[in-house]
Structures are given as structure tokens and as C-alpha cells.
Amino acid sequence: MHGSRPLKAHRNNRKSTGMRTHDRQSIHGQWSSRLTFIMAATGAAVGLGNIWKFPYLTGIHGGSAFVLVYMLCVAVLGIPMMMAEVMLGRRGRQTPINTMRTLAKEANAGQGWQLIGWFGTLAGVLILSYYSVIGGWTIGYIVHAATGDFSGLSGDGATSLFGDFVGNPWIQVAWHTAFMLITMFIVARGVQSGLEKAVSYLMPALLVLLLVLVGYAMTTGYFMQGLAFLFTPDFSHFSGTSMLTAMGQAFFSLSLGMGTIMVYGSYLPKDISIAGTSVAVALSDTMVALIAGMAIFPIVFANALIPGAGPSLIFETIPVAFGHMAGGTFFGTLFFVLLLIAAWTSSISLIEPAVTMMIEKFNMTRRTAAVWTGLVTWLLGLGTAFSFNVWAEVKMGGLTFFEQIDFLTSNLMLPIGAIGMAIFAGWVMSKHVSREELGMNSAAGYFIWHALIRVIAPIAVSIVLLHAIGLF
Ligand code: PFF
């Protein structure tokens, strides 16, 4: 879901100048309730990351150990980071670049802190460049599902259907273009409230369909094997890279380290508990990922598919499930439509920072800014579209173009952005300000958060980063 407009804004155009800083109001309004914020932030967080990426990364990194480390990262780093990001946003009440500038000034710190905002803006464009290609896959699979291509499909059949699909560069470019067009259409119009309202019904529907898939997975006879793969600790396939990937995935899935959650925080009314809402969002996001895993792996084992198949994993398993289900054509089509919508709403939040930056810095109209950012992102995305076919063998450091961009953004840029925010919230911002803004009643709770954000998060994230790039 996008990050720039609350569902129901009560307009409040008070300027921040001349007011006590903690009374600053967003010029875009506020969330109408705590639940609205939780729904919107969960909508932004839930996307391809939960349903496409989490299962395939789990498969590549050997299952349960990855899941365990992922959950640990969500609990120890993700939740405190989300609290910090929401807190910075609510304090600054502007776009990430301006929020960081204002907060740095308030703390008598250098203007260099704005770089966090710039860095996140760039990360969003880079992520969207490949997110759009995978979003395009969901459109292609709506067509396959609707035309009955899944019916009676075997594991091998699904693998070759996917192979033919990604093997054709023209098809890849066509669906990538379609996905970018629908994203930029909404971004250019700047009218997102209708979409958001729709999403609050559609995302629960996606969850129901995932549960239907779990129901199917239970009938395969391999459900327990799937659960064991996900939950019986086994570190034999776990490496330093797995550790970094689990951490990167926690940031990616929760949309942290980029400024998106900061924007959401900027609309949060003063009296809402940041801790409680962050925990709720993180739990819902993680639950969706785990449910997707519970649906996928039994189907993988039942059909002799490979858990470590990579990005193709859900596109090879879900069609088999629907292909053997009564009403599978209908439910299969519906599933990919809902997945497309989940991807679409996340894609809007990925590009929105770049678009607002272009409007503010270059005085462009929203439409012109959307066209330019969309064009640059589309061009970059061609690299990913081709990395599954004509450029499949073009590698740097053993990684294809898609793998490079994914590694750079999830495993480096988001964690580095998160370290920046943690250092700012833990060291630059005074305790008095962060405590007041977080509004935590419990002194012990605040103490734990502060220790995690000031010491544990920067150190742990740095160690994992340095270890993975081979520095120790
Ligand atoms: N969290 C989204 C997902 O799991 O698909 C991806 C994402 C959206 C990452 C927005 C970062 C972001 F700012």
C-alpha cells in the first residue's frame, strides 16, 4: 500500500512554524484510528515479500533455521526499528528527507542526516525495478489461470509452464510494462484513497485464499513434512549469507529502512501507542509469510518439486494446487488477482518517495514526475526481465542482474538505512524527546527499546553485514 495518504484524513493545515515542535501536524492529515493505521501499514508491508519471496528464500536456505533467524530478526531488530521509524515520522511529520532535516536541526545535528531520506528514495526505485517484473508475473499468471492452464497440472508441467513463461523475453517485457503502467497510473493521479479502501477488503480475502491453500496442503499427505521443514531447527544449510538474507528479508518484508514507515508514522495521531501498533503490524506481516510457507512446502514435497528452486517456487506450486481443486480455475484466477493487488499497493509505496522528491526539488507536476521516475524504473527493470532469459548467463560475482539488485537493496541498502535511523534515534535524538514521542508508560519498556536501538541493533546489523561481505 502506498505511503502518502491516510485513509480518512481530517484536514489540518496548521503550519509547523511558530509551534512547539511536538505539536507539529502533517499537512496531509491524520489516520482516523489506530486500526486504520494498523491496516494501512500491514497492507504496505504485505506484498510479494511475504508470499513470493519468503517461501523461496526459506527453500534456498534450508528451511527451519532460516525461519527461526528470520523471526528472531523481526522480534529483536524489526519491531524496535519499526517503532523508531514510526516515531521519527510522527515527530517530523513530513516526507523522510524533510523529516530528517527538521529532526537533525531540532537535535543540533548536521544536515547530513537527510542522506537517510535520499538513500531510501533510491532504494525504493531500485526495488521497484525488479518488483515490477515479478508483479508482471502475477498478471501473466492471472491469464494462465483464467484460461484453464492449471487444470490437472503436474509438478513437471508447472515447471515447464513457468520455464516457457520466463524464457520469453518479450512476454517478460510486456508484463513488466503492464505492471509499471498500472503503478504509475495511480501514482500520477495521486488518488489513492479509493484503492486503499478496496484493499482493506481485498487483503483479508487474500488471507482467506491462503488458508484455503493450507487446507489443500493438508490433503496432500505431506503436510507434516512441510511443517517439519519450516519448524524443526536444522542449521545444516545455514551460512553467513543465510543470516544476512534472513535479516534483509525481515527489513524488506516489514518495509523498514527506506522511509516508507516513516511516512506512515507522520500521519499517526499523538495519542496512539507506537509500541502496540508496531507489534501488531509485525505480527500480522510475519503470520502471512508463515501461512504462505505452510501452504507451499507440503505441495513442494508432494509433487517432488525442489524447495530451493528460487524465485519460481510459488509459480510452480500454487498452480498445481489449484489445478487439482474443485473450482480451481476460479480460485486460481482470484488468487493471482489478489496477489497482483497486494503487489500493486506495495509498488505504489516504493515509488512515492521518488515522485514527491521530484515534485518538491524540481518543481515538476505530479504527472511529469511520475512519467520520469516510471521511465527510469522501467528501464532498470529490463535488466531483471532479461536476467531470466537472454541475460541468464550474464553474471557478476556469480549473480545475475536481478540477484545483484536484490542483494544490493534488501541485504545492503535497507540494513544500512536502518542502522542510520537507529543511530539517529538512539544517539542523536535526546532521550527526553524519544521517550515523549514514543509515549511509553513503562520505564522498563522504554529502557529495553532504547538499548536495542542504541546498541544492539547497530552492532548486530553491522556484524551481520561485515561478516557476509567477508570482512570477518
Ligand atoms: N514489504 C513489501 C513486501 O513484502 O512485498 C515490499 C516493500 C514495500 C519494501 C515498500 C519496502 C517498501 F518501502
Side-chain angles (χ1 to χ4, degrees):
M1 192 179 293
H2 84 96
S4 74
R5 288 236 186 345
L7 268 173
K8 270 190 212 147
H10 8 269
R11 290 269 153 198
N12 188 337
N13 287 322
R14 273 198 285 163
K15 296 238 168 64
S16 61
T17 40
M19 295 172 58
R20 292 195 347 260
T21 42
H22 57 275
D23 287 340
R24 203 178 285 122
Q25 297 285 333
S26 168
I27 55 165
H28 302 293
Q30 292 198 3
W31 301 109
S32 51
S33 74
R34 174 168 184 259
L35 190 64
T36 323
F37 173 77
I38 293 177
M39 294 273 291
T42 308
V46 172
L48 293 170
N50 308 63
I51 294 161
W52 161 72
K53 205 171 181 194
F54 175 78
Y56 96 70
L57 290 179
T58 301
I60 290 179
H61 294 280
S64 55
F66 181 86
V67 176
L68 194 70
V69 174
Y70 171 78
M71 295 201 295
L72 207 72
C73 288
V74 169
V76 177
L77 304 173
I79 292 174
M81 274 308 312
M82 184 173 281
M83 288 171 63
E85 214 176 312
V86 173
M87 185 264 289
L88 294 175
R90 184 161 79 178
R91 187 81 188 173
R93 296 255 191 238
Q94 298 155 71
T95 57
I97 298 172
N98 291 337
T99 284
M100 290 312 296
R101 185 189 311 125
T102 310
L103 296 182
K105 214 173 184 179
E106 190 174 298
N108 290 324
Q111 289 300 303
W113 288 104
Q114 278 180 69
L115 278 178
I116 291 181
W118 288 101
F119 199 68
T121 304
L122 178 65
V125 169
L126 293 175
I127 293 175
L128 182 57
S129 79
Y130 79 77
Y131 207 86
S132 164
V133 174
I134 316 301
W137 292 0
T138 64
I139 310 181
Y141 266 60
I142 292 172
V143 177
H144 280 306
T147 50
D149 288 348
F150 297 165
S151 156
L153 204 62
S154 65
D156 284 347
T159 306
S160 66
L161 181 74
F162 183 79
D164 292 344
F165 176 72
V166 287
N168 184 327
W170 299 114
I171 292 183
Q172 291 305 298
V173 173
W175 292 134
H176 162 51
T177 309
F179 188 86
M180 273 313 290
L181 283 175
I182 61 169
T183 299
M184 299 326 290
F185 174 73
I186 298 286
V187 172
R189 280 167 40 115
V191 184
Q192 291 141 10
S193 46
L195 188 69
E196 287 204 343
K197 240 171 236 150
V199 165
S200 51
Y201 300 104
L202 296 171
M203 289 305 99
L206 180 62
L207 186 63
V208 169
L209 272 189
L210 274 177
L211 291 172
V212 169
L213 280 177
V214 173
Y216 171 80
M218 286 177 176
T219 68
T220 57
Y222 285 81
F223 192 63
M224 293 321 283
Q225 199 173 331
L227 286 190
F229 182 74
L230 285 172
F231 300 115
T232 311
D234 167 16
F235 278 83
S236 57
H237 293 89
F238 201 75
S239 62
T241 318
S242 308
M243 178 91 198
L244 178 69
T245 311
M247 187 179 80
Q249 172 64 8
F251 289 122
F252 182 88
S253 192
L254 296 173
S255 307
L256 293 176
M258 240 199 65
T260 308
I261 293 293
M262 216 189 266
V263 173
Y264 277 75
S266 73
Y267 305 134
L268 195 66
K270 189 86 186 128
D271 52 348
I272 290 181
S273 147
I274 291 183
T277 37
S278 300
V279 170
V281 173
L283 281 183
S284 336
D285 185 74
T286 306
M287 210 184 65
V288 175
L290 292 178
I291 292 175
M294 292 196 300
I296 306 285
F297 287 104
I299 306 172
V300 169
F301 297 125
N303 293 280
L305 292 161
I306 308 160
S312 61
L313 191 68
I314 67 157
F315 294 91
E316 293 176 350
T317 46
I318 287 173
V320 175
F322 287 119
H324 289 89
M325 217 183 265
T329 299
F330 173 76
F331 287 118
T333 310
L334 185 62
F335 178 85
F336 283 105
V337 168
L338 293 171
L339 187 57
L340 171 66
I341 293 167
W344 192 11
T345 53
S346 291
S347 70
I348 292 163
S349 74
L350 284 164
I351 195 84
E352 185 71 19
V355 171
T356 40
M357 185 275 286
M358 302 275 279
I359 297 173
E360 284 174 16
K361 299 280 168 199
F362 302 112
N363 237 340
M364 286 184 178
T365 61
R366 177 165 265 277
R367 191 179 296 180
T368 316
V371 169
W372 280 110
T373 45
L375 200 64
V376 170
T377 315
W378 177 82
L379 275 172
L380 264 172
L382 293 180
T384 291
F386 293 145
S387 71
F388 293 98
N389 38 69
V390 285
W391 288 353
E393 296 313 317
V394 181
K395 294 185 181 178
M396 253 171 67
L399 301 179
T400 62
F401 187 87
F402 156 65
E403 290 163 342
Q404 302 250 3
I405 298 260
D406 180 30
F407 190 88
L408 174 72
T409 50
S410 301
N411 295 0
L412 302 179
M413 293 183 83
L414 297 185
I416 291 172
I419 292 182
M421 291 181 204
I423 293 179
F424 188 87
W427 295 87
V428 179
M429 214 172 199
S430 76
K431 269 179 139 176
H432 151 77
V433 171
S434 62
R435 175 129 200 215
E436 179 200 297
E437 197 59 55
L438 280 174
M440 282 168 94
N441 294 328
S442 142
Y446 177 77
F447 178 81
I448 294 172
W449 172 82
H450 200 248
L452 285 170
I453 239 21
R454 188 175 162 101
V455 187
I456 310 291
I459 294 181
V461 178
S462 305
I463 289 178
V464 177
L465 274 175
L466 295 176
H467 179 65
I469 49 180
L471 282 184
F472 69 87

XYZ file of all heavy atoms in Angstrom, residues 77-132:
430
model
N 15.122 -6.933 15.996
C 15.521 -5.759 15.215
C 14.300 -5.088 14.573
O 14.170 -3.871 14.590
C 16.505 -6.162 14.101
C 17.764 -6.894 14.559
C 18.559 -7.395 13.362
C 18.631 -5.948 15.392
N 13.417 -5.902 13.986
C 12.300 -5.350 13.209
C 11.358 -4.504 14.045
O 11.059 -3.364 13.682
N 10.911 -5.044 15.179
C 9.920 -4.302 15.976
C 10.517 -3.000 16.549
O 9.932 -1.931 16.365
C 9.281 -5.212 17.052
C 8.412 -6.262 16.340
C 8.449 -4.408 18.048
C 7.813 -7.330 17.223
N 11.704 -3.058 17.194
C 12.272 -1.780 17.664
C 12.542 -0.795 16.524
O 12.336 0.411 16.668
C 13.596 -2.182 18.328
C 13.577 -3.644 18.466
C 12.516 -4.219 17.605
N 12.972 -1.331 15.357
C 13.232 -0.443 14.219
C 11.945 0.180 13.719
O 11.915 1.346 13.330
C 13.847 -1.229 13.052
C 15.332 -1.400 13.084
S 16.204 0.140 13.299
C 15.416 1.170 12.077
N 10.874 -0.619 13.705
C 9.614 -0.073 13.240
C 9.144 1.032 14.194
O 8.710 2.097 13.771
C 8.561 -1.171 13.128
C 7.280 -0.628 12.543
S 6.064 -1.892 12.187
C 6.652 -2.561 10.679
N 9.323 0.775 15.495
C 8.953 1.806 16.472
C 9.761 3.073 16.231
O 9.231 4.189 16.267
C 9.203 1.292 17.894
C 8.215 0.238 18.340
S 8.698 -0.526 19.902
C 8.648 0.878 21.027
N 11.061 2.899 15.966
C 11.914 4.072 15.754
C 11.474 4.827 14.504
O 11.367 6.059 14.499
C 13.376 3.644 15.620
N 11.169 4.069 13.448
C 10.819 4.734 12.189
C 9.481 5.475 12.317
O 9.333 6.601 11.854
C 10.803 3.704 11.044
C 11.270 4.336 9.767
C 11.395 3.388 8.575
O 11.983 2.301 8.705
O 10.908 3.786 7.498
N 8.514 4.823 12.961
C 7.213 5.479 13.163
C 7.409 6.720 14.037
O 6.856 7.790 13.771
C 6.209 4.514 13.851
C 4.922 5.239 14.215
C 5.900 3.324 12.952
N 8.262 6.564 15.062
C 8.485 7.667 15.993
C 9.129 8.861 15.279
O 8.692 10.000 15.439
C 9.375 7.147 17.120
C 9.635 8.077 18.263
S 11.167 8.955 18.090
C 12.384 7.695 18.347
N 10.135 8.593 14.439
C 10.780 9.690 13.702
C 9.748 10.373 12.805
O 9.689 11.596 12.716
C 11.945 9.160 12.848
C 13.150 8.584 13.610
C 14.168 7.983 12.641
C 13.819 9.655 14.459
N 8.931 9.554 12.143
C 7.915 10.114 11.243
C 6.915 10.963 11.994
O 6.577 12.071 11.563
N 6.455 10.478 13.149
C 5.434 11.240 13.867
C 6.017 12.528 14.428
O 5.345 13.545 14.520
C 4.829 10.405 14.991
C 3.706 11.138 15.665
C 2.804 10.234 16.440
N 3.392 9.892 17.722
C 2.769 9.125 18.627
N 1.577 8.624 18.350
N 3.329 8.852 19.777
N 7.294 12.484 14.794
C 7.934 13.689 15.308
C 8.137 14.719 14.185
O 7.956 15.901 14.353
C 9.287 13.320 15.918
C 9.979 14.431 16.624
C 9.406 14.594 18.011
N 9.907 15.785 18.677
C 9.446 16.196 19.845
N 8.498 15.547 20.475
N 9.943 17.277 20.401
N 8.560 14.224 13.011
C 8.907 15.147 11.920
C 7.720 15.562 11.081
O 7.671 16.678 10.574
N 6.751 14.649 10.925
C 5.512 14.948 10.197
C 5.695 15.442 8.763
O 4.905 16.228 8.281
C 4.684 15.988 10.957
C 4.200 15.516 12.326
C 2.738 15.187 12.295
N 2.152 14.969 13.591
C 1.527 13.826 13.937
N 1.448 12.837 13.097
N 0.978 13.699 15.121
N 6.765 15.008 8.068
C 6.950 15.427 6.673
C 7.483 14.241 5.862
O 7.541 13.133 6.363
C 7.954 16.589 6.593
C 7.511 17.840 7.324
C 8.684 18.698 7.740
O 9.328 19.310 6.911
N 8.984 18.711 9.021
N 7.885 14.501 4.617
C 8.499 13.429 3.836
C 9.839 13.065 4.504
O 10.419 13.901 5.199
C 8.781 13.873 2.389
O 9.617 15.022 2.463
C 7.514 14.199 1.639
N 10.344 11.832 4.295
C 11.544 11.418 5.030
C 12.716 12.402 4.946
O 13.355 12.686 5.960
C 11.893 10.085 4.382
C 10.580 9.540 3.957
C 9.769 10.726 3.524
N 12.970 12.950 3.754
C 14.120 13.855 3.623
C 13.915 15.076 4.529
O 14.795 15.458 5.307
C 14.322 14.282 2.146
C 14.623 13.047 1.283
C 15.417 15.337 2.011
C 14.658 13.304 -0.208
N 12.716 15.672 4.467
C 12.455 16.866 5.275
C 12.316 16.545 6.755
O 12.717 17.335 7.610
C 11.200 17.585 4.775
C 11.447 18.203 3.404
O 12.608 18.465 3.055
N 10.402 18.405 2.638
N 11.753 15.379 7.040
C 11.639 14.962 8.445
C 13.038 14.864 9.051
O 13.300 15.392 10.138
C 10.919 13.599 8.547
O 9.531 13.817 8.344
C 11.119 12.955 9.901
N 13.952 14.208 8.332
C 15.299 14.040 8.873
C 15.985 15.401 9.018
O 16.721 15.634 9.972
C 16.139 13.091 8.004
C 15.727 11.628 8.052
S 15.461 10.938 9.697
C 17.082 11.058 10.418
N 15.728 16.292 8.064
C 16.349 17.617 8.159
C 15.833 18.337 9.420
O 16.602 18.881 10.208
C 16.042 18.448 6.913
C 16.806 19.750 6.988
C 16.480 20.800 5.947
N 16.474 20.323 4.595
C 15.437 20.469 3.781
N 14.335 21.051 4.193
N 15.474 20.015 2.554
N 14.513 18.321 9.593
C 13.920 19.018 10.736
C 14.387 18.423 12.056
O 14.743 19.148 12.988
C 12.380 18.898 10.666
O 11.982 19.285 9.364
C 11.700 19.773 11.691
N 14.393 17.080 12.119
C 14.760 16.450 13.385
C 16.239 16.664 13.694
O 16.616 16.816 14.863
C 14.421 14.956 13.371
C 12.926 14.629 13.253
C 12.699 13.129 13.303
C 12.126 15.320 14.357
N 17.074 16.686 12.642
C 18.504 16.924 12.867
C 18.699 18.338 13.426
O 19.478 18.554 14.355
C 19.282 16.733 11.572
N 17.947 19.279 12.878
C 18.046 20.652 13.349
C 17.610 20.737 14.814
O 18.279 21.348 15.643
C 17.108 21.517 12.505
C 17.592 22.917 12.264
C 16.642 23.520 11.284
C 16.986 24.882 10.823
N 15.949 25.300 9.852
N 16.507 20.058 15.102
C 15.974 20.054 16.464
C 17.002 19.495 17.448
O 17.072 19.910 18.599
C 14.712 19.192 16.468
C 13.876 19.242 17.716
C 12.575 18.444 17.515
O 11.787 18.838 16.627
O 12.370 17.445 18.215
N 17.821 18.548 16.953
C 18.806 17.920 17.844
C 20.181 18.576 17.704
O 21.174 18.034 18.181
C 18.905 16.436 17.526
N 20.231 19.715 16.993
C 21.505 20.400 16.727
C 22.513 19.492 16.055
O 23.705 19.527 16.355
C 22.121 20.938 18.023
C 21.322 22.094 18.549
O 20.811 22.889 17.746
N 21.168 22.161 19.856
N 22.051 18.650 15.153
C 22.968 17.753 14.445
C 23.108 18.219 12.997
O 22.346 19.071 12.536
C 22.441 16.332 14.499
N 24.076 17.626 12.294
C 24.374 18.080 10.930
C 23.273 17.729 9.941
O 22.454 16.839 10.184
N 23.302 18.441 8.825
C 22.276 18.201 7.807
C 22.507 16.911 7.013
O 21.686 16.494 6.214
C 22.203 19.403 6.860
C 21.594 20.631 7.524
C 20.167 20.356 8.016
O 19.300 19.981 7.254
N 19.946 20.512 9.320
N 23.665 16.288 7.270
C 23.992 15.032 6.597
C 22.954 13.942 6.851
O 22.830 13.001 6.072
N 22.197 14.073 7.945
C 21.202 13.047 8.280
C 20.113 12.922 7.217
O 19.451 11.899 7.110
C 20.586 13.321 9.652
C 21.563 13.030 10.736
C 22.273 13.954 11.464
C 21.989 11.747 11.191
N 23.110 13.310 12.346
C 22.953 11.955 12.203
C 21.666 10.436 10.854
C 23.589 10.906 12.871
C 22.287 9.386 11.512
C 23.237 9.628 12.508
N 19.967 13.993 6.432
C 18.999 13.932 5.323
C 19.302 12.799 4.366
O 18.437 12.315 3.661
C 19.130 15.193 4.482
C 18.429 16.392 4.962
C 18.700 17.513 3.983
O 18.248 17.496 2.864
N 19.475 18.489 4.428
N 20.601 12.424 4.341
C 21.014 11.368 3.407
C 20.190 10.099 3.592
O 19.975 9.346 2.649
C 22.495 11.038 3.624
C 23.470 11.973 2.934
C 24.896 11.567 3.272
C 23.261 11.926 1.412
N 19.726 9.864 4.828
C 18.895 8.681 5.085
C 17.672 8.719 4.163
O 17.296 7.713 3.568
C 18.459 8.642 6.565
C 19.669 8.360 7.443
C 17.343 7.626 6.792
C 19.358 8.280 8.933
N 17.082 9.897 4.051
C 15.904 10.051 3.189
C 16.249 9.806 1.732
O 15.525 9.109 1.002
N 17.364 10.352 1.296
C 17.779 10.179 -0.105
C 18.077 8.721 -0.423
O 17.711 8.199 -1.473
C 19.041 11.015 -0.396
C 18.765 12.486 -0.444
C 19.005 13.393 0.538
C 18.169 13.208 -1.527
N 18.606 14.637 0.139
C 18.099 14.562 -1.119
C 17.692 12.852 -2.786
C 17.568 15.550 -1.938
C 17.165 13.841 -3.609
C 17.102 15.165 -3.186
N 18.759 8.112 0.508
C 19.162 6.716 0.355
C 17.923 5.821 0.201
O 17.855 4.955 -0.669
C 19.951 6.344 1.624
C 20.824 5.145 1.489
C 21.937 5.166 0.677
C 20.555 4.000 2.228
C 22.763 4.059 0.579
C 21.373 2.891 2.140
C 22.479 2.924 1.310
N 16.922 6.078 1.045
C 15.687 5.298 0.994
C 14.946 5.509 -0.315
O 14.395 4.573 -0.905
N 14.974 6.759 -0.792
C 14.303 7.079 -2.050
C 14.913 6.263 -3.191
O 14.209 5.680 -4.015
C 14.446 8.598 -2.338
O 13.916 9.295 -1.210
C 13.729 9.010 -3.594
N 16.244 6.211 -3.206
C 16.945 5.442 -4.238
C 16.639 3.949 -4.098
O 16.368 3.255 -5.091
C 18.458 5.703 -4.123
C 19.337 4.938 -5.101
C 19.042 5.396 -6.531
C 20.831 5.171 -4.793
N 16.637 3.462 -2.854
C 16.351 2.035 -2.632
C 14.972 1.683 -3.179
O 14.789 0.628 -3.795
C 16.435 1.705 -1.141
N 14.007 2.584 -2.992
C 12.642 2.321 -3.470
C 12.593 2.127 -4.972
O 11.961 1.194 -5.482
N 13.308 3.006 -5.696
C 13.321 2.892 -7.158
C 13.977 1.575 -7.579
O 13.480 0.856 -8.449
C 14.062 4.111 -7.775
C 14.323 3.910 -9.248
C 13.258 5.378 -7.533
N 15.100 1.264 -6.936
C 15.804 0.028 -7.304
C 14.950 -1.204 -7.005
O 14.869 -2.130 -7.813
C 17.142 -0.070 -6.555
C 18.196 0.969 -6.950
C 19.421 0.861 -6.057
C 18.603 0.795 -8.420
N 14.289 -1.205 -5.844
C 13.455 -2.367 -5.511
C 12.307 -2.475 -6.514
O 12.015 -3.549 -7.031
C 12.900 -2.280 -4.067
C 14.028 -2.386 -3.041
C 11.865 -3.395 -3.814
C 13.605 -2.192 -1.593
N 11.674 -1.331 -6.798
C 10.525 -1.398 -7.714
C 10.929 -1.940 -9.088
O 10.155 -2.615 -9.749
C 9.833 -0.037 -7.855
C 8.601 -0.056 -8.761
C 7.558 -1.064 -8.275
C 7.964 1.310 -8.882
N 12.185 -1.663 -9.508
C 12.585 -2.106 -10.853
C 12.426 -3.625 -10.983
O 12.019 -4.118 -12.025
C 14.012 -1.659 -11.169
O 14.954 -2.507 -10.556
N 12.722 -4.384 -9.921
C 12.504 -5.828 -10.069
C 11.144 -6.271 -9.558
O 10.566 -7.236 -10.045
C 13.652 -6.638 -9.460
C 13.661 -6.810 -7.954
C 12.812 -7.707 -7.332
C 14.537 -6.097 -7.150
C 12.828 -7.876 -5.944
C 14.569 -6.266 -5.774
C 13.704 -7.148 -5.181
O 13.720 -7.312 -3.823
N 10.630 -5.531 -8.572
C 9.306 -5.852 -8.026
C 8.267 -5.828 -9.155
O 7.346 -6.624 -9.201
C 8.969 -4.783 -6.984
C 8.025 -5.206 -5.886
C 8.512 -5.844 -4.743
C 6.660 -4.936 -5.944
C 7.659 -6.202 -3.710
C 5.808 -5.286 -4.917
C 6.321 -5.923 -3.798
O 5.470 -6.274 -2.774
N 8.493 -4.902 -10.101
C 7.570 -4.751 -11.217
C 7.604 -5.965 -12.148
O 6.573 -6.370 -12.695
C 7.941 -3.474 -11.976
O 7.345 -3.454 -13.220
